[in-house]
Amino acid sequence: VGVAEVLPLVAERLGAIRGEESERGEPVYRRLVAALRRSIEDGALPLGARLPSERRLSSALGLSRTTVQTAYRELEALGYVESRRGSGTYVCGRPEWPSQPRASAIPKHTFARRAKAAGNTFLLDLMHAASTLHRYAFETGMPDPRLMPVRAFHAIIEDLFSQRSAEWVSYSPTQGVPQLRQALTHTLLPLRGLHGVRPEEVLITTGSLQGLDLVSKLFLEPGDTVLVEEPSFPGATQIFRSFGAELVGVPVDEEGLVVDHLQEVLARVKPKLLYVQPTLQNPTGAVLSARRRARLLDVASRWRTPIVEDDAYGLLLGQDAPPALKARDEEGLVIYLGTVSKILSPGLRVGYLVADEGLVRALSHVKQLTDLHTSTVSQFLVEGWLTTADVRGHLRTCQRVYGERLRLALDCLRRHPLIEPYIEPQGGIYVFGRILTGIQAARLRVESAERGVIFAPGDAFAVAGGLQDCLRLCVGASDLAALRVGLGRLLRLVEELQTPA
Ligand SMILES: Cc1ncc(COP(=O)(O)O)c(C=O)c1O
């Protein structure tokens, strides 16, 4: 493949991607990365092909040289290309991730429109990063596997497989196995202030992400508005967008969602849903204050706005955690989502949704079309753990360990003020920070990956664009020693990159 053949192809794909994603305000270098990746993955740029020089590509596409440089370095960090000194940049495949199959015989233009929204690779990349070995992996929202009760799981599995195979080898109810729904109402839900929930009001989901998908399927038509926090969790915003929803961001500060702002927005638009994480918001770690919780429920009631409360991290906050919004929801406007991913294991893919019985029934109807039911083995594993383990003791350990890690990370940032926390998180596993030296997170990430340090770039969490100077560090999966070294390396790099060579 010669350079002359490559240029029009990349230009065409960049144009197409621009069209598809312009409303998302993605930086140009990302779109260029996507265009080149797409070309490599479908074989248009085969293994060994030489990419145009940075100078040539920048002038051919009318992009700045820095944009092309950043894109090439990102592709290199992702393992798609390698640069050979004095010779150029070559496609080298994607060594640790099998490359995508060649273009399908069924053309892409026949795909539904939502396939474009699913084209965003942020979550795919995070999942991939979770299974690869960067030493200082601060990118994926992973709890520490060393804290997962593997021995207890072993005993439960042994019992399940030797004594109770009839219970898990066949299909199980779409709404979730009754024993697990019952166990949740006695264990995890009361810990979040949700007392007296009946099993009929609980739906087991395949991760809480599926809860978001089911809710979207039930409520959203293309063109509907969903209000979300700004910044927000890309897993959620991607799902809403895939149903054609327009997203409107409401800012978050130290007290969580700015409810005054929400009120102003509600005077202008009529959203189908409001998606919030009131307790340890991802990415900022904000906790909605008691005062704002009460006001939020008032405002939602006044405007009859259904709230999707994502409480993925609430159990990590400890004794001072405010009860879930759902605990004060007298009108049934709150759909509550929980998960065992951050306290037990994300690999089990067990989440739970709490809503009134009618809504749970309607959502079960949607779920039957998606996956019939969540893995029965996973459900029994979680149920076995909830009914036999010292759940509170385990949560206290998680809170203590993550608390130490968070404090250490915040100390490092305080001592070397190059990255400033967006807000000071009170718990959980994330620090969202702004880089103060003017360097963009994407560029920093390319350089830091070479030193074994990865993090999530802030712009992925932006709803209306921006946040290119922000990053999210997950401190959950690294012990104190690894955090000290990894953050030290990152901060040194930020310092080096601000000094002109
Ligand atoms: C806010 C939030 N909601 C949901 C999820 C997804 O969780 P699950 O593994 O239960 O699908 C995550 C994972 O990072 C998250 O941060």
Side-chain angles (χ1 to χ4, degrees), residues 49-72:
R50 186 155 75 96
L51 297 189
S53 70
E54 291 167 2
R55 190 181 45 75
R56 182 129 186 230
L57 193 62
S58 64
S59 74
L61 299 177
L63 302 173
S64 78
R65 184 87 182 263
T66 322
T67 300
V68 177
Q69 221 166 35
T70 310
Y72 275 18

Side-chain angles (χ1 to χ4, degrees), residues 17 75 91-92 210 223 230 239 244 252 310 315 359 378 386 401 412 464 482 484:
I17 287 172
L75 284 168
V91 175
C92 63
Q210 186 185 53
E230 170 78 275
I239 290 179
V252 169
D310 187 341
L315 290 164
L359 206 52
S378 285
L386 289 176
V401 171
C412 278
R484 224 173 260 125

Side-chain angles (χ1 to χ4, degrees), residues 141 207-209 233 275 277 282 310 312-313 339 341-342 346 349 430:
S208 53
L209 217 53
F233 169 51
Y275 168 73
Q277 303 172 55
N282 177 9
D310 187 341
Y313 302 93
T339 178
S341 287
K342 310 298 169 179
R349 309 305 304 129
Y430 302 122

